Each structure stands twice: as structure tokens, then as C-alpha cells.
Amino acid sequence: MHPFEYARATDADQAVATVSADPDAMFLAGGTTQLDLMKDGVLHPDRLVDITRLPLGGITHTDSAVQVGALTTMEELAADPVMGERLPFVREALLLGASTQLRNMATIGGNLLQRARCRYFRDPTVAACNKRNPGSGCAAIAGIQRMHAILGTSDHCIALHASDVAVPLTALDAIVHTQGMDGSRSIPMTQFYLPPGDTPHIENVLRHGELITAIDIPLLDAGIRSHYIKVRDRASYEFALTSAAVALVIEDGVVQEARVALGGVGTIPWRAWDAEDVLRGNPAGADLFRVAAEAALEGARPLPGTAFKVELAKRTLVRTLETVAGAPS
């Protein structure tokens, strides 16, 4: 591992100032992915600023939203009763996203910022990785592609965004609050992540040294059904081949409101706007759900190793829609 200086931040202003002033500095929270990447030689910061003692944890409830401190662990949020009552698909995504041990270490802010699960990005002996070495190429395009993206890809990168909980949060229009040298910002999840384009190394809109402080999660109205389905190669601790987060309002058999996002298929958590448009105002049923799934995957760019994901993602979404539309348990 590359040698680094360790510092513990005493307040958020100090943490932001320290990292902002040093291009080779990084924040450290749960570290569940970050430390692995450092050990593998993918990340090599000269300084780590530990933010775990900052008052950025905790869960606050209002009538319309849940505000989650960035240092709240995945397990703490999953255990919050409101998640089960009003946001079940967020809770399901949290529980399916990692083992119990990891959920007790990983923070919500860190989960949103986890790096790509591309095997080529995570292997520093592979020279061609635009995400790690801008301008070097993309080994995945001609390599093993099974765990890669089919939506939002470019000729420069097909790496998948692996977060589970980011999928329902994107469907909900959650807001990410940050603090930087220029003050605070509130960024919609739908604008937080950046597709690779020709700059795959720039994954989100955060500036260097800008710190996530909290996430606002809008509450679904009581009685609105939601569900998260994750399809994976094995039942425990595996990343999604495809996933879907769905919330529906159905009245008299007609879909009045729909929120749909996909995981396991996009370079960013993928909001399926076209599927939502198809669903709204139409009678709920298998035919409608299949048309919505077709719309959600319109524009997919599969490669030979990811071609199976197109149909799998459609079936995952149809199954999730059918589950949500079913009779209340």
C-alpha cells in the first residue's frame, strides 16, 4: 500500500479545507471499498482525513421526508422503522446491498460514492482503463463484459454503477446535501452522477474536497406500494446483474403515478423516465408492464458479453411491477 498521512478531522470546515487544499487527499469514513482499492494499488492518496467523528450521522423525520446524515450506516438506516413502513424498497435495497458486517461499517454517503466494480478498473496491472488512467482505453470493451453496463455507456467506458440503495433513491428524487469551500449545495440524485462520455474518470458533480453531509429521502404516501428486486448470480453478497426499484399509485385499476429506476445495467443509477411515462394513466396489467419494460431499455447498447442483460432487465422490471401492483398483503 502506498504510504499516506492520517489526520482526524475535528469539524466539517476543517475537513473540507484540508482535503480541498491537497489534490492528493481523500476523506475516510467506513472505508469498506476505499481501503480495498488502496491495498490493490488503484487508489494511492498521500493523505486520508478521517471524518468518522464528525456530527454527520443520525436520522431525522418530518412529515414529508427522512433526512439521513452521511455517516449513518446502512444498517442503521435499514433498521429505522419508517423505512419499513413508508419506504420499503429503500430498506430492501439496503439489506440486499451488503452483508450484515459490511452494513454495520459502510456509510450512506460512502455507498453513494462507491467506485466501479469493473475488474479492469480494479486491476492496476491492466493499463487500458480510462477511469483509472484517462486516455488509456477501455479493456472491458474487448474483454469479459458480464458485469458491465448496457445503458449510459460510451466508447470510452462501460463500467457499471454498483450501488443498490442509489437505485430507489434515484427513483424517489432524493437530494444530496454537500459542503464545500464555496458553501453548501443541494443536488438532486438525478443530477448527481455523470455518465462516462469521454471523461469516465469524472463520476459525479462533486468538486474535490466537497463533502456529502446528508441525504433527504422523500417519503411515499401511506399506502403506496413499492418494491426492489435484485437478480444476481448467487444469493449472498453479490452485485446485481439487473435490479429494479418501483413505486406505484394505482386507483381503480389505473396507474396514477409511477417511479421506476434500474440497477445493474447503467453506468449511473438509471431513472427509467420513459417507462414512467408509459405507465401513467393506463390500466395496470401484464401488457402495460411489458411495454413499459421495452421503453425502459430503449437505447441499450449491449456488447456480446452483456446482451443477455437486455431481456433480463425487462423481465426484472416486469416482475417488480407485477409484485407492486398485486393485492396488498
Side-chain angles (χ1 to χ4, degrees):
M1 184 186 293
H2 178 77
F4 61 89
E5 176 185 333
Y6 170 86
R8 176 171 287 164
T10 57
D11 60 64
D13 290 341
Q14 177 208 30
V16 168
T18 301
V19 174
S20 296
D22 183 350
D24 295 317
M26 299 178 68
F27 296 117
L28 173 67
T32 54
T33 296
Q34 182 180 20
L35 293 178
D36 286 342
L37 293 176
M38 290 172 62
K39 292 175 183 177
D40 289 340
V42 177
L43 298 180
H44 35 78
D46 289 337
R47 177 181 297 177
L48 287 182
V49 177
D50 186 340
I51 61 171
T52 55
R53 301 292 179 90
L54 301 184
L56 298 177
I59 303 168
T60 303
H61 305 97
T62 69
D63 292 338
S64 60
V66 175
Q67 184 168 93
V68 184
L71 292 178
T72 303
T73 67
M74 294 173 66
E75 185 68 13
E76 288 169 337
L77 184 57
D80 186 83
V82 173
M83 291 296 108
E85 296 167 5
R86 301 283 294 277
L87 295 168
F89 67 161
V90 175
R91 183 175 187 272
E92 290 161 352
L94 287 164
L95 294 177
L96 291 171
S99 66
T100 305
Q101 294 92 332
L102 285 174
R103 293 198 307 268
N104 275 292
M105 284 293 297
T107 64
I108 296 301
N111 183 275
L112 298 186
L113 295 176
Q114 65 179 287
R115 303 301 301 276
R117 295 289 165 178
C118 173
R119 65 170 64 193
Y120 303 102
F121 168 72
R122 289 170 175 258
D123 184 354
T125 66
V126 176
C129 177
N130 288 319
K131 192 176 286 292
R132 184 167 23 84
N133 299 313
S136 63
C138 177
I141 289 177
I144 298 173
Q145 304 147 359
R146 180 175 174 80
M147 296 303 295
H148 287 77
I150 58 174
L151 291 167
T153 61
S154 75
D155 293 337
H156 302 279
C157 185
I158 60 171
L160 183 72
H161 192 278
S163 172
D164 284 281
V165 73
V167 180
L169 294 186
T170 296
L172 285 166
D173 295 313
I175 302 294
V176 179
H177 298 288
T178 70
Q179 179 179 336
M181 292 299 291
D182 297 326
S184 59
R185 292 199 288 168
S186 298
I187 308 166
M189 281 282 292
T190 50
Q191 300 174 23
F192 183 76
Y193 296 104
L194 298 174
D198 58 4
T199 55
H201 58 292
I202 304 174
E203 298 178 345
N204 55 62
V205 299
L206 293 181
R207 307 177 183 109
H208 180 69
E210 192 170 8
L211 177 67
I212 295 178
T213 57
I215 299 94
D216 281 351
I217 309 175
L219 288 172
L220 296 172
D221 291 338
I224 295 179
R225 291 171 59 86
S226 71
H227 191 42
Y228 179 75
I229 286 181
K230 178 178 182 178
V231 178
R232 47 190 171 174
D233 283 326
R234 59 184 182 183
S236 64
Y237 191 44
E238 182 62 278
F239 298 99
L241 292 172
T242 61
S243 68
V246 169
L248 297 178
V249 177
I250 300 176
E251 296 178 359
D252 299 323
V254 175
V255 179
Q256 302 297 328
E257 184 55 64
R259 292 180 176 272
V260 179
L262 303 176
V265 290
T267 56
I268 62 176
W270 198 260
R271 183 71 177 268
W273 301 103
D274 290 342
E276 294 178 0
D277 291 341
V278 167
L279 291 164
R280 292 190 189 98
N282 289 301
D287 291 342
L288 176 66
F289 297 159
R290 184 65 191 187
V291 174
E294 294 286 344
L297 273 296
E298 185 72 26
R301 297 178 59 194
L303 293 170
T306 55
F308 76 97
K309 283 195 172 190
V310 178
E311 181 60 24
L312 182 61
K314 292 175 183 177
R315 295 188 183 200
T316 303
L317 179 52
V318 169
R319 179 182 163 198
T320 311
L321 287 164
E322 289 176 340
T323 302
V324 175
S329 58

